[in-house]
């Protein structure tokens, strides 16, 4: 697998409004790509197209050697390869943390309950929350819930992880614990596409930074573009972020 | 010469109450099964199925239970499909309840945030697994109060089926009253009996609601 994710001239409209206007980029296996940009620039939409929560009007999206826009796409196979974590955690409130994590592995991979619990424990250890295994989501802080959401996604052994502003709903003092989990994951070789407003995280963890502006990739490069932006739009954006 | 209220009358009332309970159970069980199917049809991905279910709901909700009962019992009888009163009553109650429960449950399913479905789909669950493991357990919490409220209404509405020959609780009270004419006493007792059936339902609903709310705010 030479590319994990590839977008080529992707166009996406909601009704008459074109939100993605020819987006192209590639992500190599093991690479960590941070996507930054103003609210409304199409970052979430781009992520959602990658695991086909949204269908695109034209262009090519390839994920782990699958054509995402192909009518014959095995959607559930794609979803096994691609994990996604949302801003709003979206844990299942009626299930314990263990059940949240093992639900999909049990249903999709048909593992036993005992194996599911062991898996849950293993993934919780990865995010530092083993002691919460029998708690319900509402008993956890936002930061803890988000770490569980990451563990839940990891339990399916995805090949690519997507993160959509996963710290934006958190109190500032809780973002650190989530970002640390993501940095550890990045160091462990996970392929990650991270939509984020955390410039510090992008600088530390990203192999590459993509700046999206008005539905296009406006500027991209190594994390250096954060200190040395080439376009006035990115300069502007960075000045406002700080 | 009318005599006073005696034990035989009480037994007669209890027998009527038994019919009321049986008819209600028929309504709950078959109406519930039908309602579940109607709910599934309402959230189907196939538009035609959704539409047909919607028409069914609109029509049934717009027609009195008594008319449904007459159509099933007398109407089908004329067409040569004669059925015992109990089957006719069960069928009419099923048709009636399935439309209302189907609509209540559709609303409850749709009240579960879309993000829950999305998160579950992103974990590679099938549509059915998403419904069973994620959506329905949460929808049940939302659906419990209106469902029980409706069932209490149905229990009281079963008095209507006396028109096709059932001596359920209300009819039994009428019959006795025609003989001994003590309306306050007899209908009072019948009222207490209805209350004794309905109140535990409401109580149970409240307990269930509290229990289901554990693990969720
Ligand atoms: N489901 C949708 N229907 C209509 N418009 C949408 C929908 N999702 C996003 N949009 C619009 O698309 C644009 C880009 O949104 P989004 O991808 O969420 O941006 P970002 O994540 O960069 O803030 C916004 O103008 C938004 O209003
Ligand atoms: Mg967004």
């Amino acid at each position: 697998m030479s590319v994990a994710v590839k977008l080529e001239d992707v166009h996406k409209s909601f009704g008459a409004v074109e939100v993605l206007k020819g987006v192209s980029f590639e992500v190599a296996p093991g690479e960590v790509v941070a996507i930054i940009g103003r609210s409304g620039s199409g970052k979430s939409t781009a992520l959602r197209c990658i695991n086909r929560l949204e269908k695109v009007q034209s262009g090519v999206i390839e994920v782990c050697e699958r054509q995402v826009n192909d009518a014959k796409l095995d959607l559930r196979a794609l979803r096994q390869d691609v994990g996604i974590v949302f801003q709003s955690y979206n844990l299942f409130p009626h299930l314990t943390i263990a059940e949240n994590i093992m639900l999909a592995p049990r249903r999709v991979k048909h593992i036993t309950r005992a194996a599911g619990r062991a898996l849950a424990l293993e993934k919780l250890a990865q995010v530092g929350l083993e002691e919460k295994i029998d708690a319900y989501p509402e008993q956890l802080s936002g930061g803890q819930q988000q770490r569980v959401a990451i563990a839940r996604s990891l339990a399916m052994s995805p090949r690519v992880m997507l993160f959509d502003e996963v710290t934006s709903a958190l109190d500032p003092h809780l973002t650190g614990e989530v970002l640390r989990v993501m940095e550890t994951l990045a160091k462990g070789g996970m392929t990650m596409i991270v939509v984020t407003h955390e410039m510090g995280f992008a600088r530390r963890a990203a192999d590459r930074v993509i700046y999206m502006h008005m539905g296009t990739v406006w500027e991209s490069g190594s994390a250096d573009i954060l200190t040395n932006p080439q376009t006035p739009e990115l300069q502007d954006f960075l000045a406002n972020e700080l | 010469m009318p005599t006073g209220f005696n034990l035989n009358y009480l037994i007669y009332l209890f027998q009527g109450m038994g019919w009321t309970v049986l008819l209600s159970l028929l309504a709950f069980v078959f109406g519930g099964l039908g309602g579940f199917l109607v709910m599934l049809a309402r959230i189907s991905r196939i538009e035609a199925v959704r539409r047909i279910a919607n028409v069914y709901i609109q029509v049934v909700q717009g027609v009195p239970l008594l008319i449904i009962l007459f159509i099933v019992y007398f109407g089908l009888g004329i067409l040569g499909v004669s059925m015992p009163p109990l089957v006719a009553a069960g069928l009419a109650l099923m048709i009636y309840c399935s439309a209302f429960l189907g609509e209540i449950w559709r609303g409850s399913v749709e009240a579960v945030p879309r993000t829950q479905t999305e998160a579950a789909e992103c974990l590679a669950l099938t549509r059915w697994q998403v419904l069973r493991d994620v959506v329905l357990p949460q929808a049940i919490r939302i659906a419990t109060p209106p469902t029980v409220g409706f069932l209490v209404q149905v229990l009281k509405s079963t008095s209507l089926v006396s028109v096709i020959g059932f001596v359920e609780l209300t009819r039994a009270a009428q019959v006795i009253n025609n003989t001994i004419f003590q309306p306050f006493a007899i209908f009072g007792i019948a009222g207490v009996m209805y209350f004794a059936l309905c109140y535990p339902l409401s109580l149970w609903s409240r307990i269930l609601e509290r229990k289901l709310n554990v693990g969720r705010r």
Side-chain angles (χ1 to χ4, degrees):
Chain A
M1 191 165 74
S2 58
V3 287
V5 177
K6 180 166 91 176
L7 278 75
E8 216 175 86
D9 198 25
V10 168
H11 290 257
K12 167 70 188 173
S13 307
F14 292 108
V17 186
E18 191 168 46
V19 173
L20 299 182
K21 303 169 183 167
V23 170
S24 306
F25 61 83
E26 280 186 18
V27 181
E31 200 178 16
V32 177
V33 171
I35 301 183
I36 59 174
R38 284 211 170 76
S39 168
S41 57
K43 306 180 298 293
S44 296
T45 306
L47 276 198
R48 293 167 62 85
C49 290
I50 291 171
N51 76 344
R52 224 183 73 178
L53 279 171
E54 307 285 353
K55 283 186 186 166
V56 303
Q57 269 73 35
S58 70
V60 175
I61 300 180
E62 201 180 299
V63 178
C64 302
E65 284 147 356
R66 282 198 178 78
Q67 295 300 319
V68 174
N69 297 323
D70 197 327
K72 295 192 297 287
L73 170 78
D74 181 348
L75 190 57
R76 293 183 55 229
L78 174 75
R79 299 270 168 86
Q80 284 190 56
D81 282 343
V82 182
I84 184 164
V85 183
F86 302 95
Q87 182 177 331
S88 52
Y89 341 131
N90 301 344
L91 296 182
F92 307 131
H94 60 295
L95 300 178
T96 65
I97 300 309
E99 290 164 341
N100 262 277
I101 296 173
M102 66 175 146
L103 174 63
R106 289 203 62 206
R107 293 287 181 260
V108 178
K109 299 183 173 172
H110 307 290
I111 63 175
T112 64
R113 204 179 162 79
R117 196 174 165 86
L119 179 65
L121 201 58
E122 180 196 326
K123 295 302 160 189
L124 282 174
Q126 219 172 325
V127 300
L129 285 173
E130 296 121 296
E131 81 278 6
K132 298 294 184 190
I133 188 161
D134 291 315
Y136 279 91
E138 65 154 10
Q139 298 167 318
L140 272 54
S141 72
Q144 291 172 333
Q145 290 194 46
Q146 195 58 293
R147 282 146 71 196
V148 170
I150 294 172
R152 180 174 71 178
S153 227
L154 291 176
M156 290 298 283
S157 317
R159 298 207 272 175
V160 177
M161 283 287 291
L162 311 177
F163 297 86
D164 192 0
E165 297 196 26
V166 293
T167 57
S168 294
L170 298 177
D171 291 340
H173 70 282
L174 296 177
T175 58
E177 56 187 77
V178 176
L179 293 176
R180 273 192 294 280
V181 165
M182 291 165 68
E183 280 172 52
T184 311
L185 201 56
K187 287 204 190 82
M190 175 62 78
T191 310
M192 295 165 58
I193 305 179
V194 186
V195 172
T196 185
H197 286 292
E198 301 284 339
M199 294 306 143
F201 171 85
R203 216 169 272 130
R204 288 192 302 275
D207 300 309
R208 207 144 47 83
V209 175
I210 289 176
Y211 171 60
M212 281 190 68
H213 184 61
M214 301 200 306
T216 60
V217 174
W218 198 263
E219 187 172 338
S220 73
S222 73
D224 289 346
I225 66 168
L226 295 174
T227 36
N228 195 9
Q230 301 302 301
T231 59
E233 288 78 7
L234 180 52
Q235 282 165 15
D236 229 41
F237 172 77
L238 290 171
N240 285 325
E241 281 292 310
L242 296 175
Chain B
M1 186 72 210
T3 55
F5 190 79
N6 63 34
L7 191 62
N8 286 338
Y9 292 136
L10 196 62
I11 290 170
Y12 194 62
L13 278 181
F14 270 111
Q15 282 171 347
M17 189 179 174
W19 279 111
T20 295
V21 169
L22 179 67
L23 289 164
S24 301
L25 284 177
L26 282 179
F28 296 177
V29 172
F30 290 102
L33 290 174
F36 190 75
L37 294 180
V38 170
M39 179 274 287
L40 286 181
R42 281 291 276 135
I43 61 169
S44 164
R45 268 197 285 204
I46 305 161
E47 195 187 337
V49 174
R50 285 201 304 272
R51 278 186 183 210
I52 291 168
N54 190 38
V55 169
Y56 175 79
I57 289 168
Q58 298 306 324
V59 168
V60 173
Q61 287 193 342
V63 174
L65 174 57
L66 200 53
I67 300 294
I68 297 174
L69 193 63
F70 283 154
I71 292 173
V72 170
Y73 189 60
F74 299 116
L76 291 183
I78 284 170
L79 292 179
V81 193
S82 82
M83 54 182 94
L86 187 61
V87 176
L91 189 59
L93 285 166
M94 175 183 171
I95 292 169
Y96 181 75
C97 292
S98 63
F100 281 90
L101 290 176
E103 188 65 2
I104 291 173
W105 294 345
R106 177 197 62 85
S108 307
V109 162
E110 287 179 353
V112 176
R114 169 88 198 121
T115 49
Q116 288 282 305
T117 310
E118 220 164 57
E121 282 173 352
C122 286
L123 289 165
L125 297 180
T126 64
R127 195 174 145 78
W128 172 243
Q129 288 167 340
V130 172
L131 190 66
R132 188 190 59 184
D133 294 321
V134 175
V135 177
L136 287 183
Q138 298 185 61
I140 286 171
R141 293 183 173 142
I142 302 167
T144 301
T147 301
V148 175
F150 175 72
L151 293 185
V152 167
Q153 294 299 322
V154 167
L155 193 145
K156 292 184 285 186
S157 304
T158 52
S159 61
L160 290 172
V161 304
S162 60
V163 299
I164 61 172
F166 278 103
V167 185
E168 43 61 64
L169 184 49
T170 300
R171 182 76 191 131
Q174 259 176 355
V175 169
I176 297 170
N177 188 52
N178 288 346
T179 319
I180 62 175
F181 199 68
Q182 294 183 357
F184 271 122
I186 293 162
F187 291 119
I189 292 170
V192 168
M193 286 175 153
Y194 272 114
F195 181 78
L197 291 175
C198 292
Y199 186 63
L201 267 182
S202 309
L203 217 56
W204 175 64
S205 157
R206 234 168 289 163
I207 292 168
L208 211 60
E209 238 180 292
R210 215 172 305 137
K211 210 160 79 184
L212 289 172
N213 271 329
V214 174
R216 169 158 210 194
R217 195 128 297 152

